[in-house]
Structure formats: structure tokens, C-alpha cells
Amino acid sequence: ICTVVEELVNDLLCVCRVHSGNDFMPRLQPAVGLGGFLESQSAHGEDLVYRLLVPLKPPPGHSFHLELGA
């Protein structure tokens, strides 16, 4: 099930990349699964939570850097 969700998210990200087309926006990279899924009980029954990381790549001519703060 996790791979199906990851493929679905990657398909959605691909559509977002195609339609954004703006060179000044960060570029979405393929999603990466983080440790499978979590199951929890709720009032509506059983819930599944998938954790996916979507890395961002800087637009051409730009870079990302960390800013240290308080």
C-alpha cells in the first residue's frame, strides 16, 4: 500500500512540475517514503498515516542555505 501512495504522490508532483513552468519557483523532486506507515484508532475507525518527504531543488541560478536563528 505504501508504494501505491508514493506512486500516486509522485504522479501528482509530476503534474505540478509540468503546470508550474515558472523558473523562479523551487522544483519539486520525487517523494521519498519515511519509515512506512502508522496506524491509529479514531472515532471513524482505523486511520493510516503515510509520511512522505518531498525534497525541493532550487531554481536555476539560485541556491538554498540554512539561516541560524535563536
Side-chain angles (χ1 to χ4, degrees):
I1 294 175
C2 292
T3 56
V4 173
V5 171
E6 193 169 333
E7 288 174 10
L8 181 65
V9 169
N10 281 328
D11 289 345
L12 177 63
L13 292 173
C14 182
V15 170
C16 290
R17 280 192 296 270
V18 169
H19 288 286
S20 68
N22 187 345
D23 288 338
F24 296 107
M25 298 291 291
R27 293 181 280 166
L28 302 168
Q29 301 301 300
V32 178
L34 298 175
F37 62 92
L38 303 171
E39 293 184 38
S40 65
Q41 293 284 72
S42 71
H44 303 289
E46 198 171 284
D47 291 334
L48 297 176
V49 178
Y50 299 93
R51 292 180 294 170
L52 297 172
L53 174 67
V54 179
L56 296 175
K57 198 172 194 180
H62 294 81
S63 64
F64 293 141
H65 66 277
L66 294 175
E67 291 186 14
L68 300 176

Short mmCIF file of all heavy atoms in Angstrom, two decimals:
data_model
loop_
_atom_site.label_atom_id
_atom_site.label_comp_id
_atom_site.label_asym_id
_atom_site.label_seq_id
_atom_site.Cartn_x
_atom_site.Cartn_y
_atom_site.Cartn_z
N ILE A 1 0.83 -1.19 0.00
CA ILE A 1 0.00 0.00 0.00
C ILE A 1 0.87 1.25 0.00
O ILE A 1 0.54 2.22 -0.66
CB ILE A 1 -0.96 0.00 1.21
CG1 ILE A 1 -1.96 -1.15 1.08
CG2 ILE A 1 -1.69 1.32 1.32
CD1 ILE A 1 -2.88 -1.31 2.26
N CYS A 2 1.99 1.21 0.72
CA CYS A 2 2.86 2.39 0.79
C CYS A 2 3.39 2.77 -0.60
O CYS A 2 3.45 3.96 -0.92
CB CYS A 2 4.04 2.12 1.72
SG CYS A 2 3.59 1.97 3.44
N THR A 3 3.75 1.78 -1.40
CA THR A 3 4.28 2.08 -2.73
C THR A 3 3.20 2.68 -3.63
O THR A 3 3.50 3.55 -4.45
CB THR A 3 4.88 0.84 -3.39
OG1 THR A 3 3.89 -0.19 -3.45
CG2 THR A 3 6.09 0.33 -2.65
N VAL A 4 1.96 2.26 -3.47
CA VAL A 4 0.86 2.82 -4.25
C VAL A 4 0.67 4.30 -3.89
O VAL A 4 0.52 5.14 -4.78
CB VAL A 4 -0.45 2.03 -4.01
CG1 VAL A 4 -1.62 2.73 -4.67
CG2 VAL A 4 -0.32 0.61 -4.50
N VAL A 5 0.71 4.62 -2.60
CA VAL A 5 0.57 6.02 -2.17
C VAL A 5 1.75 6.84 -2.69
O VAL A 5 1.57 7.95 -3.19
CB VAL A 5 0.46 6.11 -0.63
CG1 VAL A 5 0.52 7.57 -0.18
CG2 VAL A 5 -0.81 5.45 -0.15
N GLU A 6 2.96 6.30 -2.60
CA GLU A 6 4.14 7.02 -3.06
C GLU A 6 4.05 7.27 -4.57
O GLU A 6 4.36 8.37 -5.04
CB GLU A 6 5.40 6.22 -2.72
CG GLU A 6 6.67 7.02 -2.88
CD GLU A 6 7.87 6.31 -2.29
OE1 GLU A 6 7.71 5.50 -1.35
OE2 GLU A 6 8.98 6.57 -2.79
N GLU A 7 3.60 6.29 -5.35
CA GLU A 7 3.45 6.47 -6.79
C GLU A 7 2.38 7.52 -7.10
O GLU A 7 2.56 8.35 -8.00
CB GLU A 7 3.08 5.15 -7.46
CG GLU A 7 4.22 4.16 -7.51
CD GLU A 7 3.78 2.81 -8.06
OE1 GLU A 7 2.65 2.69 -8.57
OE2 GLU A 7 4.59 1.87 -7.97
N LEU A 8 1.29 7.51 -6.36
CA LEU A 8 0.22 8.49 -6.55
C LEU A 8 0.72 9.90 -6.27
O LEU A 8 0.47 10.83 -7.05
CB LEU A 8 -0.97 8.16 -5.64
CG LEU A 8 -2.16 9.08 -5.74
CD1 LEU A 8 -2.80 9.01 -7.11
CD2 LEU A 8 -3.18 8.72 -4.66
N VAL A 9 1.47 10.08 -5.19
CA VAL A 9 2.02 11.40 -4.85
C VAL A 9 3.02 11.84 -5.91
O VAL A 9 3.02 13.00 -6.33
CB VAL A 9 2.65 11.38 -3.44
CG1 VAL A 9 3.45 12.65 -3.19
CG2 VAL A 9 1.58 11.21 -2.38
N ASN A 10 3.86 10.92 -6.38
CA ASN A 10 4.83 11.27 -7.41
C ASN A 10 4.14 11.67 -8.72
O ASN A 10 4.59 12.59 -9.41
CB ASN A 10 5.83 10.14 -7.64
CG ASN A 10 6.89 10.10 -6.57
OD1 ASN A 10 7.28 11.14 -6.04
ND2 ASN A 10 7.38 8.92 -6.25
N ASP A 11 3.04 11.01 -9.06
CA ASP A 11 2.28 11.40 -10.25
C ASP A 11 1.71 12.81 -10.08
O ASP A 11 1.76 13.63 -11.01
CB ASP A 11 1.14 10.42 -10.51
CG ASP A 11 1.63 9.07 -11.00
OD1 ASP A 11 2.80 8.97 -11.41
OD2 ASP A 11 0.82 8.11 -10.98
N LEU A 12 1.19 13.11 -8.89
CA LEU A 12 0.67 14.45 -8.60
C LEU A 12 1.78 15.49 -8.68
O LEU A 12 1.59 16.57 -9.25
CB LEU A 12 0.01 14.47 -7.23
CG LEU A 12 -0.54 15.80 -6.75
CD1 LEU A 12 -1.65 16.29 -7.67
CD2 LEU A 12 -1.04 15.69 -5.33
N LEU A 13 2.94 15.18 -8.13
CA LEU A 13 4.07 16.11 -8.19
C LEU A 13 4.52 16.35 -9.62
O LEU A 13 4.89 17.47 -9.99
CB LEU A 13 5.24 15.58 -7.35
CG LEU A 13 5.00 15.55 -5.84
CD1 LEU A 13 6.17 14.85 -5.15
CD2 LEU A 13 4.79 16.93 -5.28
N CYS A 14 4.48 15.32 -10.45
CA CYS A 14 4.85 15.45 -11.86
C CYS A 14 3.91 16.42 -12.56
O CYS A 14 4.36 17.29 -13.32
CB CYS A 14 4.83 14.08 -12.53
SG CYS A 14 5.33 14.12 -14.25
N VAL A 15 2.62 16.31 -12.31
CA VAL A 15 1.64 17.23 -12.89
C VAL A 15 1.92 18.65 -12.41
O VAL A 15 1.88 19.61 -13.20
CB VAL A 15 0.21 16.79 -12.55
CG1 VAL A 15 -0.80 17.86 -12.93
CG2 VAL A 15 -0.13 15.48 -13.22
N CYS A 16 2.24 18.81 -11.13
CA CYS A 16 2.55 20.15 -10.58
C CYS A 16 3.77 20.74 -11.26
O CYS A 16 3.80 21.94 -11.57
CB CYS A 16 2.76 20.08 -9.07
SG CYS A 16 1.26 19.74 -8.14
N ARG A 17 4.80 19.91 -11.48
CA ARG A 17 6.02 20.40 -12.15
C ARG A 17 5.72 20.86 -13.57
O ARG A 17 6.21 21.89 -14.02
CB ARG A 17 7.08 19.31 -12.18
CG ARG A 17 7.84 19.14 -10.88
CD ARG A 17 9.06 18.26 -11.07
NE ARG A 17 8.74 16.91 -11.45
CZ ARG A 17 8.51 15.89 -10.61
NH1 ARG A 17 8.59 16.10 -9.32
NH2 ARG A 17 8.22 14.70 -11.06
N VAL A 18 4.91 20.10 -14.30
CA VAL A 18 4.58 20.44 -15.68
C VAL A 18 3.80 21.74 -15.75
O VAL A 18 4.07 22.61 -16.59
CB VAL A 18 3.79 19.29 -16.35
CG1 VAL A 18 3.20 19.72 -17.68
CG2 VAL A 18 4.67 18.06 -16.52
N HIS A 19 2.83 21.92 -14.86
CA HIS A 19 1.97 23.10 -14.93
C HIS A 19 2.58 24.34 -14.29
O HIS A 19 2.12 25.45 -14.57
CB HIS A 19 0.60 22.79 -14.30
CG HIS A 19 -0.23 21.89 -15.16
ND1 HIS A 19 -0.84 22.32 -16.31
CD2 HIS A 19 -0.52 20.58 -15.06
CE1 HIS A 19 -1.47 21.32 -16.87
NE2 HIS A 19 -1.30 20.24 -16.13
N SER A 20 3.57 24.18 -13.41
CA SER A 20 4.15 25.38 -12.78
C SER A 20 5.01 26.14 -13.78
O SER A 20 4.90 27.35 -13.88
CB SER A 20 4.93 25.02 -11.52
OG SER A 20 6.09 24.29 -11.85
N GLY A 21 5.91 25.47 -14.48
CA GLY A 21 6.68 26.06 -15.54
C GLY A 21 7.46 27.32 -15.20
O GLY A 21 8.19 27.83 -16.01
N ASN A 22 7.32 27.86 -14.00
CA ASN A 22 7.99 29.10 -13.60
C ASN A 22 9.42 28.77 -13.18
O ASN A 22 9.64 27.96 -12.29
CB ASN A 22 7.22 29.75 -12.45
CG ASN A 22 7.75 31.12 -12.12
OD1 ASN A 22 8.83 31.50 -12.52
ND2 ASN A 22 6.98 31.86 -11.36
N ASP A 23 10.40 29.42 -13.79
CA ASP A 23 11.80 29.16 -13.47
C ASP A 23 12.22 29.72 -12.12
O ASP A 23 13.31 29.45 -11.64
CB ASP A 23 12.71 29.73 -14.55
CG ASP A 23 12.62 28.92 -15.84
OD1 ASP A 23 12.22 27.76 -15.78
OD2 ASP A 23 12.95 29.48 -16.90
N PHE A 24 11.38 30.55 -11.49
CA PHE A 24 11.74 31.16 -10.22
C PHE A 24 11.14 30.44 -9.02
O PHE A 24 11.28 30.89 -7.89
CB PHE A 24 11.33 32.64 -10.21
CG PHE A 24 12.07 33.44 -11.24
CD1 PHE A 24 11.43 33.87 -12.38
CD2 PHE A 24 13.41 33.72 -11.08
CE1 PHE A 24 12.11 34.59 -13.35
CE2 PHE A 24 14.10 34.44 -12.04
CZ PHE A 24 13.45 34.88 -13.18
N MET A 25 10.45 29.33 -9.25
CA MET A 25 9.86 28.55 -8.17
C MET A 25 10.76 27.37 -7.85
O MET A 25 11.39 26.81 -8.75
CB MET A 25 8.47 28.02 -8.59
CG MET A 25 7.46 29.11 -8.89
SD MET A 25 6.96 30.01 -7.43
CE MET A 25 6.05 28.77 -6.57
N PRO A 26 10.84 26.95 -6.57
CA PRO A 26 11.59 25.73 -6.25
C PRO A 26 10.99 24.55 -7.01
O PRO A 26 9.79 24.47 -7.22
CB PRO A 26 11.38 25.56 -4.75
CG PRO A 26 11.06 26.92 -4.25
CD PRO A 26 10.31 27.59 -5.38
N ARG A 27 11.85 23.64 -7.44
CA ARG A 27 11.41 22.48 -8.21
C ARG A 27 11.16 21.29 -7.29
O ARG A 27 12.02 20.93 -6.49
CB ARG A 27 12.43 22.15 -9.28
CG ARG A 27 12.51 23.25 -10.34
CD ARG A 27 13.50 22.94 -11.41
NE ARG A 27 14.82 23.27 -10.87
CZ ARG A 27 15.96 22.88 -11.42
NH1 ARG A 27 15.96 22.17 -12.50
NH2 ARG A 27 17.10 23.21 -10.86
N LEU A 28 9.98 20.71 -7.39
CA LEU A 28 9.61 19.56 -6.57
C LEU A 28 10.31 18.30 -7.10
O LEU A 28 10.29 18.04 -8.29
CB LEU A 28 8.10 19.35 -6.60
CG LEU A 28 7.25 20.52 -6.13
CD1 LEU A 28 5.79 20.28 -6.49
CD2 LEU A 28 7.42 20.71 -4.64
N GLN A 29 10.92 17.55 -6.20
CA GLN A 29 11.58 16.30 -6.56
C GLN A 29 10.67 15.13 -6.18
O GLN A 29 9.70 15.31 -5.45
CB GLN A 29 12.92 16.20 -5.81
CG GLN A 29 13.87 17.36 -6.12
CD GLN A 29 14.19 17.44 -7.60
OE1 GLN A 29 14.73 16.51 -8.18
NE2 GLN A 29 13.86 18.57 -8.22
N PRO A 30 10.97 13.91 -6.66
CA PRO A 30 10.13 12.76 -6.31
C PRO A 30 10.06 12.54 -4.80
O PRO A 30 11.04 12.75 -4.08
CB PRO A 30 10.82 11.59 -7.01
CG PRO A 30 11.56 12.21 -8.14
CD PRO A 30 12.00 13.55 -7.64
N ALA A 31 8.90 12.10 -4.33
CA ALA A 31 8.68 11.86 -2.90
C ALA A 31 9.50 10.67 -2.42
O ALA A 31 9.73 9.71 -3.16
CB ALA A 31 7.20 11.62 -2.64
N VAL A 32 9.90 10.73 -1.16
CA VAL A 32 10.66 9.66 -0.52
C VAL A 32 9.88 9.20 0.70
O VAL A 32 9.51 10.01 1.55
CB VAL A 32 12.05 10.17 -0.09
CG1 VAL A 32 12.83 9.08 0.62
CG2 VAL A 32 12.82 10.72 -1.27
N GLY A 33 9.60 7.90 0.79
CA GLY A 33 8.89 7.37 1.95
C GLY A 33 9.75 7.38 3.19
O GLY A 33 10.94 7.12 3.13
N LEU A 34 9.16 7.71 4.33
CA LEU A 34 9.88 7.76 5.60
C LEU A 34 9.35 6.70 6.57
O LEU A 34 8.38 6.93 7.26
CB LEU A 34 9.75 9.15 6.25
CG LEU A 34 10.31 10.31 5.46
CD1 LEU A 34 9.99 11.61 6.16
CD2 LEU A 34 11.81 10.15 5.31
N GLY A 35 9.95 5.55 6.58
CA GLY A 35 9.64 4.55 7.59
C GLY A 35 8.27 3.92 7.52
O GLY A 35 7.71 3.59 8.54
N GLY A 36 7.69 3.77 6.34
CA GLY A 36 6.42 3.07 6.22
C GLY A 36 5.24 3.91 6.64
O GLY A 36 5.13 5.07 6.30
N PHE A 37 4.34 3.31 7.43
CA PHE A 37 3.11 4.00 7.80
C PHE A 37 2.78 3.76 9.25
O PHE A 37 3.31 2.86 9.90
CB PHE A 37 1.95 3.55 6.90
CG PHE A 37 1.63 2.10 7.01
CD1 PHE A 37 0.69 1.65 7.91
CD2 PHE A 37 2.26 1.17 6.20
CE1 PHE A 37 0.39 0.31 8.02
CE2 PHE A 37 1.96 -0.18 6.31
CZ PHE A 37 1.03 -0.61 7.21
N LEU A 38 1.91 4.58 9.80
CA LEU A 38 1.44 4.46 11.18
C LEU A 38 -0.04 4.13 11.17
O LEU A 38 -0.79 4.64 10.34
CB LEU A 38 1.65 5.78 11.93
CG LEU A 38 3.07 6.33 11.97
CD1 LEU A 38 3.05 7.74 12.56
CD2 LEU A 38 3.96 5.45 12.79
N GLU A 39 -0.47 3.30 12.08
CA GLU A 39 -1.89 3.00 12.22
C GLU A 39 -2.37 3.58 13.55
O GLU A 39 -1.67 3.54 14.54
CB GLU A 39 -2.13 1.50 12.22
CG GLU A 39 -1.83 0.83 10.91
CD GLU A 39 -2.19 -0.65 10.93
OE1 GLU A 39 -3.22 -1.00 11.53
OE2 GLU A 39 -1.44 -1.42 10.34
N SER A 40 -3.57 4.14 13.54
CA SER A 40 -4.12 4.68 14.78
C SER A 40 -5.63 4.47 14.78
O SER A 40 -6.25 4.32 13.73
CB SER A 40 -3.78 6.16 14.92
OG SER A 40 -4.41 6.90 13.90
N GLN A 41 -6.21 4.46 15.94
CA GLN A 41 -7.65 4.32 16.08
C GLN A 41 -8.26 5.70 16.24
O GLN A 41 -7.70 6.57 16.88
CB GLN A 41 -7.98 3.49 17.31
CG GLN A 41 -7.55 2.04 17.19
CD GLN A 41 -8.46 1.24 16.30
OE1 GLN A 41 -8.46 1.42 15.09
NE2 GLN A 41 -9.24 0.36 16.87
N SER A 42 -9.41 5.91 15.62
CA SER A 42 -10.12 7.17 15.77
C SER A 42 -11.61 6.87 15.85
O SER A 42 -12.03 5.72 15.75
CB SER A 42 -9.82 8.10 14.59
OG SER A 42 -10.44 7.60 13.43
N ALA A 43 -12.38 7.91 16.02
CA ALA A 43 -13.83 7.74 16.11
C ALA A 43 -14.41 7.19 14.81
O ALA A 43 -15.47 6.58 14.80
CB ALA A 43 -14.49 9.08 16.45
N HIS A 44 -13.71 7.39 13.70
CA HIS A 44 -14.20 6.94 12.39
C HIS A 44 -13.63 5.58 12.00
O HIS A 44 -13.78 5.16 10.87
CB HIS A 44 -13.83 7.97 11.32
CG HIS A 44 -14.36 9.33 11.61
ND1 HIS A 44 -15.69 9.64 11.53
CD2 HIS A 44 -13.73 10.46 12.00
CE1 HIS A 44 -15.86 10.91 11.85
NE2 HIS A 44 -14.69 11.43 12.15
N GLY A 45 -12.95 4.92 12.90
CA GLY A 45 -12.35 3.63 12.58
C GLY A 45 -10.84 3.71 12.57
O GLY A 45 -10.25 4.50 13.28
N GLU A 46 -10.24 2.89 11.75
CA GLU A 46 -8.79 2.81 11.68
C GLU A 46 -8.25 3.80 10.65
O GLU A 46 -8.74 3.86 9.54
CB GLU A 46 -8.39 1.38 11.30
CG GLU A 46 -6.96 1.05 11.60
CD GLU A 46 -6.71 -0.43 11.39
OE1 GLU A 46 -7.13 -1.23 12.24
OE2 GLU A 46 -6.11 -0.75 10.36
N ASP A 47 -7.25 4.58 11.03
CA ASP A 47 -6.62 5.53 10.13
C ASP A 47 -5.20 5.08 9.82
O ASP A 47 -4.51 4.56 10.68
CB ASP A 47 -6.56 6.93 10.75
CG ASP A 47 -7.92 7.57 10.90
OD1 ASP A 47 -8.82 7.21 10.13
OD2 ASP A 47 -8.07 8.41 11.80
N LEU A 48 -4.76 5.30 8.59
CA LEU A 48 -3.38 5.05 8.20
C LEU A 48 -2.74 6.39 7.89
O LEU A 48 -3.33 7.23 7.20
CB LEU A 48 -3.31 4.16 6.97
CG LEU A 48 -3.87 2.74 7.12
CD1 LEU A 48 -3.82 2.02 5.78
CD2 LEU A 48 -3.14 1.97 8.18
N VAL A 49 -1.53 6.60 8.38
CA VAL A 49 -0.80 7.84 8.14
C VAL A 49 0.49 7.49 7.41
O VAL A 49 1.30 6.71 7.92
CB VAL A 49 -0.48 8.57 9.47
CG1 VAL A 49 0.33 9.82 9.20
CG2 VAL A 49 -1.76 8.88 10.22
N TYR A 50 0.68 8.06 6.22
CA TYR A 50 1.89 7.85 5.44
C TYR A 50 2.74 9.10 5.54
O TYR A 50 2.24 10.20 5.36
CB TYR A 50 1.56 7.57 3.98
CG TYR A 50 0.72 6.34 3.78
CD1 TYR A 50 -0.65 6.42 3.71
CD2 TYR A 50 1.33 5.10 3.67
CE1 TYR A 50 -1.43 5.29 3.54
CE2 TYR A 50 0.56 3.96 3.50
CZ TYR A 50 -0.81 4.06 3.43
OH TYR A 50 -1.57 2.95 3.27
N ARG A 51 4.03 8.92 5.78
CA ARG A 51 4.93 10.06 5.85
C ARG A 51 5.81 10.05 4.60
O ARG A 51 6.57 9.11 4.39
CB ARG A 51 5.78 9.99 7.11
CG ARG A 51 4.95 10.19 8.37
CD ARG A 51 5.78 10.13 9.59
NE ARG A 51 6.33 8.78 9.74
CZ ARG A 51 7.25 8.45 10.62
NH1 ARG A 51 7.76 9.35 11.41
NH2 ARG A 51 7.67 7.20 10.70
N LEU A 52 5.69 11.10 3.81
CA LEU A 52 6.49 11.24 2.60
C LEU A 52 7.22 12.58 2.64
O LEU A 52 6.63 13.60 2.99
CB LEU A 52 5.61 11.19 1.35
CG LEU A 52 4.87 9.88 1.08
CD1 LEU A 52 3.89 10.06 -0.07
CD2 LEU A 52 5.84 8.77 0.78
N LEU A 53 8.47 12.56 2.30
CA LEU A 53 9.28 13.78 2.21
C LEU A 53 9.35 14.18 0.74
O LEU A 53 9.65 13.35 -0.12
CB LEU A 53 10.68 13.52 2.76
CG LEU A 53 11.69 14.64 2.62
CD1 LEU A 53 11.29 15.82 3.48
CD2 LEU A 53 13.07 14.15 2.99
N VAL A 54 9.06 15.44 0.44
CA VAL A 54 9.16 15.96 -0.92
C VAL A 54 10.30 16.97 -0.96
O VAL A 54 10.15 18.12 -0.54
CB VAL A 54 7.84 16.62 -1.38
CG1 VAL A 54 7.98 17.18 -2.79
CG2 VAL A 54 6.69 15.64 -1.29
N PRO A 55 11.48 16.53 -1.41
CA PRO A 55 12.62 17.46 -1.47
C PRO A 55 12.38 18.57 -2.50
O PRO A 55 11.69 18.37 -3.49
CB PRO A 55 13.79 16.57 -1.92
CG PRO A 55 13.34 15.17 -1.74
CD PRO A 55 11.85 15.18 -1.83
N LEU A 56 12.94 19.73 -2.23
CA LEU A 56 12.87 20.87 -3.14
C LEU A 56 14.26 21.15 -3.69
O LEU A 56 15.24 21.14 -2.95
CB LEU A 56 12.36 22.11 -2.43
CG LEU A 56 10.94 22.06 -1.89
CD1 LEU A 56 10.65 23.33 -1.09
CD2 LEU A 56 9.94 21.89 -2.99
N LYS A 57 14.33 21.42 -4.97
CA LYS A 57 15.58 21.80 -5.61
C LYS A 57 15.47 23.28 -5.96
O LYS A 57 14.42 23.73 -6.43
CB LYS A 57 15.76 20.96 -6.88
CG LYS A 57 17.15 20.91 -7.41
CD LYS A 57 17.22 19.90 -8.54
CE LYS A 57 18.65 19.60 -8.86
NZ LYS A 57 18.76 18.63 -9.94
N PRO A 58 16.54 24.06 -5.73
CA PRO A 58 16.44 25.50 -6.03
C PRO A 58 16.28 25.73 -7.53
O PRO A 58 16.74 24.94 -8.34
CB PRO A 58 17.75 26.07 -5.50
CG PRO A 58 18.68 24.92 -5.44
CD PRO A 58 17.86 23.69 -5.23
N PRO A 59 15.63 26.84 -7.90
CA PRO A 59 15.51 27.17 -9.32
C PRO A 59 16.89 27.48 -9.91
O PRO A 59 17.84 27.76 -9.18
CB PRO A 59 14.60 28.40 -9.33
CG PRO A 59 14.60 28.92 -7.95
CD PRO A 59 15.00 27.82 -7.04
N PRO A 60 17.01 27.41 -11.23
CA PRO A 60 18.31 27.69 -11.87
C PRO A 60 18.86 29.05 -11.45
O PRO A 60 18.14 30.04 -11.39
CB PRO A 60 17.97 27.68 -13.36
CG PRO A 60 16.71 26.88 -13.48
CD PRO A 60 15.97 27.10 -12.21
N GLY A 61 20.15 29.07 -11.10
CA GLY A 61 20.81 30.31 -10.71
C GLY A 61 20.63 30.67 -9.25
O GLY A 61 21.09 31.72 -8.82
N HIS A 62 19.94 29.84 -8.47
CA HIS A 62 19.71 30.10 -7.05
C HIS A 62 20.22 28.93 -6.22
O HIS A 62 20.52 27.87 -6.74
CB HIS A 62 18.21 30.30 -6.78
CG HIS A 62 17.65 31.51 -7.43
ND1 HIS A 62 17.28 31.54 -8.75
CD2 HIS A 62 17.40 32.75 -6.93
CE1 HIS A 62 16.82 32.74 -9.05
NE2 HIS A 62 16.88 33.50 -7.96
N SER A 63 20.33 29.15 -4.91
CA SER A 63 20.73 28.07 -4.00
C SER A 63 19.99 28.24 -2.68
O SER A 63 19.54 29.33 -2.34
CB SER A 63 22.24 28.07 -3.77
OG SER A 63 22.63 29.26 -3.13
N PHE A 64 19.86 27.16 -1.97
CA PHE A 64 19.28 27.19 -0.63
C PHE A 64 20.41 27.19 0.38
O PHE A 64 21.44 26.56 0.19
CB PHE A 64 18.40 25.96 -0.38
CG PHE A 64 17.15 25.88 -1.21
CD1 PHE A 64 16.72 24.68 -1.72
CD2 PHE A 64 16.39 27.01 -1.48
CE1 PHE A 64 15.56 24.58 -2.46
CE2 PHE A 64 15.22 26.93 -2.22
CZ PHE A 64 14.81 25.72 -2.72
N HIS A 65 20.22 27.89 1.49
CA HIS A 65 21.18 27.85 2.59
C HIS A 65 20.42 27.98 3.91
O HIS A 65 19.36 28.60 3.96
CB HIS A 65 22.26 28.91 2.45
CG HIS A 65 21.74 30.31 2.58
ND1 HIS A 65 21.16 31.00 1.54
CD2 HIS A 65 21.69 31.15 3.64
CE1 HIS A 65 20.79 32.19 1.94
NE2 HIS A 65 21.08 32.32 3.22
N LEU A 66 20.97 27.39 4.95
CA LEU A 66 20.36 27.47 6.27
C LEU A 66 20.72 28.77 6.94
O LEU A 66 21.85 29.25 6.86
CB LEU A 66 20.85 26.31 7.14
CG LEU A 66 20.44 24.91 6.70
CD1 LEU A 66 21.10 23.87 7.60
CD2 LEU A 66 18.94 24.76 6.74
N GLU A 67 19.73 29.36 7.61
CA GLU A 67 19.97 30.55 8.40
C GLU A 67 19.86 30.18 9.86
O GLU A 67 18.82 29.65 10.29
CB GLU A 67 18.97 31.65 8.05
CG GLU A 67 19.16 32.23 6.69
CD GLU A 67 18.24 33.41 6.42
OE1 GLU A 67 17.65 33.93 7.40
OE2 GLU A 67 18.13 33.82 5.27
N LEU A 68 20.91 30.42 10.63
CA LEU A 68 20.88 30.11 12.05
C LEU A 68 20.13 31.21 12.79
O LEU A 68 20.33 32.39 12.52
CB LEU A 68 22.30 29.97 12.58
CG LEU A 68 23.14 28.86 11.92
CD1 LEU A 68 24.55 28.88 12.48
CD2 LEU A 68 22.50 27.51 12.15
N GLY A 69 19.25 30.81 13.67
CA GLY A 69 18.48 31.80 14.42
C GLY A 69 18.43 31.43 15.88
O GLY A 69 19.01 30.45 16.34
N ALA A 70 17.72 32.23 16.63
CA ALA A 70 17.60 32.00 18.08
C ALA A 70 16.76 30.78 18.37
O ALA A 70 15.86 30.42 17.71
CB ALA A 70 17.00 33.21 18.75
#
